[in-house]
Amino acid sequence: MTIPIAIDTGGVKTTLNYWDRHEAPPEVLDFTKPGTESKFEEYQKTIETLPITIHNVRGKEDQYTLEKNGFQYVKDDIPALEGCETEDDVREVLLPATEELVNALAEDPSKRADNRAPAHSVHTDFTRAGALNQFKTVIRDPSELASLQKSRILAINVWRPLKTIKKDPLAILNWASVNAEQDIVPNRMIMNEHFWAELGKVKYADGHEWVYMEGQTPSEPLVFKQFDSKAEGSMTVPHSAFVDQRWVDEAARESIEIKMFAFVEE
């Protein structure tokens, strides 16, 4: 049984690490060339740490939707999760359950999954170009690729606590408060001669609305978009772990993030 912690319906004053507004966009990082690793480490330190209030959505979570805001908290209890003892057990239970969950939100999902550790910087996992390139890498069959490109393509992340979250909760930026063209900075990385990736660094802007769910439990996953081929600006929603001073001495958080492409015929 999961025992919820006391709920604070207000906000948390903290800091977030944005890409420094005073710096030029990062150069393309080509890891096939010497010296790129040090340039990558330099960019990791090119941050602007700013005071931010992150608002608690608990009790108001139904005001935010995947279509309008780019994210949604859902109720999704998976009793079998409590009996999991290993990472393989968690995967075996969560992958099909998460596919079913996304199926309820977007038709005909195609399962693609991965884990991710806490990241204390404001970022997106893709840019529009990065998402489409990743899609073409995942879907290798030319006929399947051509068929799926006729659909609405979404990259969906499902972030779920494995225990009630105290330390390092996940903050999500309301897409309705984002100017994608101005706020998101492409960061392309050439990994080898066959593959490149492009994520988004994020610059601060007045009006950014950050939210999280206080005491988020395993039955309250956060579903959010990292790409939507039909949305203006692609709706690649920025997010970040953050420090809540009330819980800094707690054990490290336990969570899993599952990613998938979903395809909706329109």
Side-chain angles (χ1 to χ4, degrees):
M1 174 183 292
T2 300
I3 302 174
I5 61 175
I7 301 303
D8 177 2
T9 58
V12 174
K13 294 186 184 300
T14 185
T15 59
L16 289 177
N17 297 318
Y18 281 90
W19 177 258
D20 193 332
R21 290 169 291 176
H22 307 97
E23 296 291 332
E27 300 172 8
V28 173
L29 295 174
D30 187 346
F31 286 93
T32 67
K33 296 180 179 178
T36 302
E37 191 67 39
S38 60
K39 190 69 173 178
F40 172 75
E41 293 175 0
E42 178 184 331
Y43 284 149
Q44 295 297 92
K45 299 174 184 176
T46 307
I47 60 174
E48 184 177 14
T49 302
L50 296 169
I52 298 290
T53 298
I54 302 178
H55 303 281
N56 180 15
V57 302
R58 186 171 290 283
K60 303 182 289 290
E61 55 266 44
D62 60 354
Q63 297 177 15
Y64 298 89
T65 67
L66 197 62
E67 198 69 18
K68 180 181 67 174
N69 308 102
F71 70 92
Q72 189 169 331
Y73 289 91
V74 298
K75 294 289 186 182
D76 186 47
D77 191 20
I78 304 177
L81 190 59
E82 295 186 13
C84 294
E85 296 182 355
T86 68
E87 184 174 328
D88 287 341
D89 292 341
V90 170
R91 284 178 176 271
E92 186 175 347
V93 169
L94 278 187
L95 290 182
T98 302
E99 185 172 3
E100 289 180 12
L101 172 62
V102 173
N103 191 38
L105 299 173
E107 297 173 1
D108 300 326
S110 177
K111 181 174 63 184
R112 318 291 174 202
D114 193 13
N115 287 335
R116 187 171 296 273
H120 286 268
S121 64
V122 180
H123 68 284
T124 71
D125 295 348
F126 293 124
T127 60
R128 182 180 182 88
L132 291 173
N133 185 64
Q134 178 72 14
F135 167 63
K136 293 175 182 178
T137 301
V138 170
I139 309 298
R140 296 178 179 273
D141 181 79
S143 60
E144 183 183 10
L145 180 63
S147 176
L148 291 174
Q149 284 179 320
K150 299 175 184 177
S151 307
R152 180 182 183 182
I153 304 170
L154 303 100
I156 300 289
N157 287 17
V158 181
W159 190 87
R160 184 188 298 268
L162 297 178
K163 293 184 178 178
T164 300
I165 295 294
K166 293 184 180 180
K167 187 174 184 178
D168 294 331
L170 182 67
I172 194 87
L173 183 55
N174 181 2
W175 185 255
S177 70
V178 177
N179 183 322
E181 189 172 323
Q182 296 180 14
D183 300 348
I184 297 178
V185 182
N187 181 197
R188 182 169 297 193
M189 294 169 283
I190 300 171
M191 312 311 294
N192 54 55
E193 60 179 322
H194 303 294
F195 179 73
W196 56 268
E198 188 172 273
L199 54 80
K201 304 285 190 182
V202 182
K203 297 187 293 184
Y204 172 80
D206 291 338
H208 278 180
E209 181 193 356
W210 285 97
V211 303
Y212 82 116
M213 177 177 279
E214 174 85 10
Q216 187 180 358
T217 70
S219 64
E220 299 173 312
L222 170 63
V223 181
F224 60 101
K225 293 182 186 179
Q226 287 301 275
F227 176 72
D228 184 342
S229 62
K230 296 297 184 181
E232 183 178 354
S234 298
M235 199 174 273
T236 177
V237 179
H239 50 286
S240 176
F242 70 95
V243 175
D244 185 335
Q245 291 295 335
R246 296 172 298 171
W247 310 113
V248 291
D249 294 326
E250 295 289 331
R253 83 177 189 201
E254 296 183 36
S255 61
I256 186 169
E257 185 175 45
I258 296 176
K259 302 178 182 180
M260 59 181 66
F261 282 113
F263 310 98
V264 181
E265 294 184 1
E266 297 187 330

